[in-house]
Amino acid sequence: MCTSIELTAENGAKYWGRTMDLAMTMFGEDGGAESVITTIPAEAKVASQLTDWTAKYTTMGVGVKGTPILFDGINEAGLAGDLQVLFESTADSLENLKRRGLTPLMNTEFVTYVLTHFKNVAEIREHYQELGLADQATQVNGQAFTFPLHYNFVDESGDGVVLEPVENGAFKLYDSVGVVTNSPEYSWHTTNLRNYLGLTDADVKDPRTYENGVTLPPIEGGTGYGMAGLPGSYTSPARFVRSFTIANAMDDFTADRGIAQLYAAFRPVIIPEGIERKTADAPISDYTRYWSGYDLQKRAVYVQTGLGLAFTKQTLNTDVQEISYTAIDRGDYVHEV
């Protein structure tokens, strides 16, 4: 389970972020892989599990230390994006992809590939049909992982796309409506939004008299009644509708409030630990392992893990000469007065 949301400040500045909701450890707990902020400089060689490539643009994002994997990130041109689970995703063999004239890529390396190759969404639109996902498991620390994934990207102009590999490893492209979650496919979610056109940010203040003569006043003066019926579960369809509706009902904000406003939009979909398990006796739950928020104009990322209250901020540095890793703070910091 994951959610991404895009917001725009009064001056046009773009803010975009995501929750990473996953039923596995991500920050070195129990000796597992460690998620860090990775910076890949332009001209650096990216050691892919399939075929190495050279980065065209400096890129920074949250990924697995010592690997080319980025779960989300931003490049020096202001293009940002992430990966999320989509059970309908597909892949094809290396041989078939090459025969079809497609460049084979690992699905876990796809965000890294796009951000290090393309400067904006327009370039993605131009080249996405040249790419395909290989049916190869990702190897991390000697273990093999397989994740069904789709992707979304946004640039500082506000242009955004969702890429779903549902054509035997090749992609369908959708224009983004500013929110992405998981299955079903994106076109289902955007159609489903039409079921919620009646939601509004205006309270229902007036009593209603029914045909049988009964008059019912709203409870508590009608506070919040305009949003009555807003889906409240943590399912992907509910999170999609909830995030879209909330993001489009929030007050206008100035750029200096961008990250705070973005984080506020995510609060209703940050998933607490323990409320969703694959089975009743599963020892680990699917919850928000981290939140990341990006200031696209300043090329900065803010990361908060599900293990503490601390935020780690890093601004993309185009002067970096080699691939580098920054630890993400998992502590609790409270300003006590």
Side-chain angles (χ1 to χ4, degrees), residues 5-333:
I5 300 172
E6 175 193 345
L7 295 179
T8 303
E10 291 176 339
N11 69 348
K14 305 298 178 182
Y15 299 86
W16 171 88
R18 62 90 52 83
T19 58
M20 170 58 84
D21 310 322
L22 198 61
M24 61 185 297
T25 59
M26 296 193 70
F27 294 96
E29 309 98 311
D30 303 322
E34 182 182 357
S35 296
V36 295
I37 299 174
T38 300
T39 301
I40 302 169
E43 305 303 326
K45 181 179 179 181
V46 180
S48 170
Q49 187 175 313
L50 291 181
T51 303
D52 297 349
W53 73 80
T54 299
K56 183 177 180 181
Y57 299 102
T58 301
T59 297
M60 172 190 69
V62 181
V64 180
K65 187 175 183 179
T67 78
I69 298 170
L70 289 180
F71 304 121
D72 49 82
I74 188 169
N75 69 18
E76 62 179 283
L79 176 67
D82 75 341
L83 56 78
Q84 297 185 26
V85 166
L86 181 79
F87 287 107
E88 293 84 354
S89 67
T90 62
D92 203 354
S93 68
L94 291 173
E95 295 77 12
N96 285 343
L97 291 172
K98 292 175 181 177
R99 185 165 59 248
R100 294 162 62 191
L102 300 176
T103 299
L105 297 171
M106 295 291 298
N107 69 348
T108 51
E109 298 177 0
F110 187 79
V111 169
T112 315
Y113 184 91
V114 169
L115 294 181
T116 57
H117 276 79
F118 304 128
K119 67 180 180 181
N120 54 31
V121 170
E123 286 194 355
I124 296 174
R125 294 181 189 275
E126 183 179 352
H127 294 287
Y128 80 95
Q129 292 177 310
E130 302 166 7
L131 310 175
L133 299 186
D135 58 356
Q136 305 283 313
T138 297
Q139 302 288 332
V140 178
N141 295 339
Q143 290 186 295
F145 298 91
T146 301
F147 300 99
L149 301 171
H150 66 159
Y151 312 89
N152 87 106
F153 298 93
V154 61
D155 62 32
E156 61 182 338
S157 76
D159 193 9
V161 291
V162 177
L163 296 177
E164 298 193 328
V166 293
E167 303 285 356
N168 293 320
F171 293 92
K172 282 186 178 180
L173 180 147
Y174 298 97
D175 293 331
S176 173
V177 298
V179 168
V180 179
T181 58
N182 314 109
S183 299
E185 295 177 40
Y186 202 66
S187 57
W188 186 97
H189 285 293
T190 55
T191 298
N192 185 50
L193 281 177
R194 294 157 64 188
N195 289 311
Y196 298 90
L197 297 179
L199 296 175
T200 173
D201 57 357
D203 294 340
V204 178
K205 291 291 187 182
D206 298 328
R208 178 175 177 181
T209 300
Y210 292 83
E211 290 295 327
N212 64 0
V214 174
T215 298
L216 298 176
I219 296 172
E220 201 186 6
T223 302
Y225 270 47
M227 289 291 180
L230 183 70
S233 77
Y234 290 108
T235 64
S236 177
R239 285 182 287 110
F240 194 102
V241 173
R242 190 157 73 251
S243 296
F244 179 86
T245 303
I246 290 171
N248 283 280
M250 298 176 76
D251 285 345
D252 293 341
F253 61 96
T254 55
D256 62 308
R257 294 285 301 157
I259 291 298
Q261 192 83 340
L262 183 66
Y263 187 71
F266 275 95
R267 289 189 187 119
V269 291
I270 291 177
I271 301 171
E273 186 174 3
I275 68 170
E276 193 279 327
R277 302 177 187 274
K278 295 186 182 300
T279 61
D281 58 354
I284 191 168
S285 68
D286 192 341
Y287 74 97
T288 300
R289 300 284 167 170
Y290 73 83
W291 172 83
S292 59
Y294 289 82
D295 181 329
L296 270 60
Q297 275 60 43
K298 294 183 178 179
R299 316 291 196 258
V301 63
Y302 299 73
V303 186
Q304 182 191 52
T305 77
L307 302 171
L309 297 174
F311 285 86
T312 301
K313 176 189 176 183
Q314 183 164 314
T315 301
L316 186 146
N317 181 4
T318 55
D319 293 328
V320 171
Q321 298 298 308
E322 59 184 19
I323 297 175
S324 61
Y325 306 102
T326 302
I328 296 171
D329 198 327
R330 299 181 294 170
D332 283 318
Y333 298 119

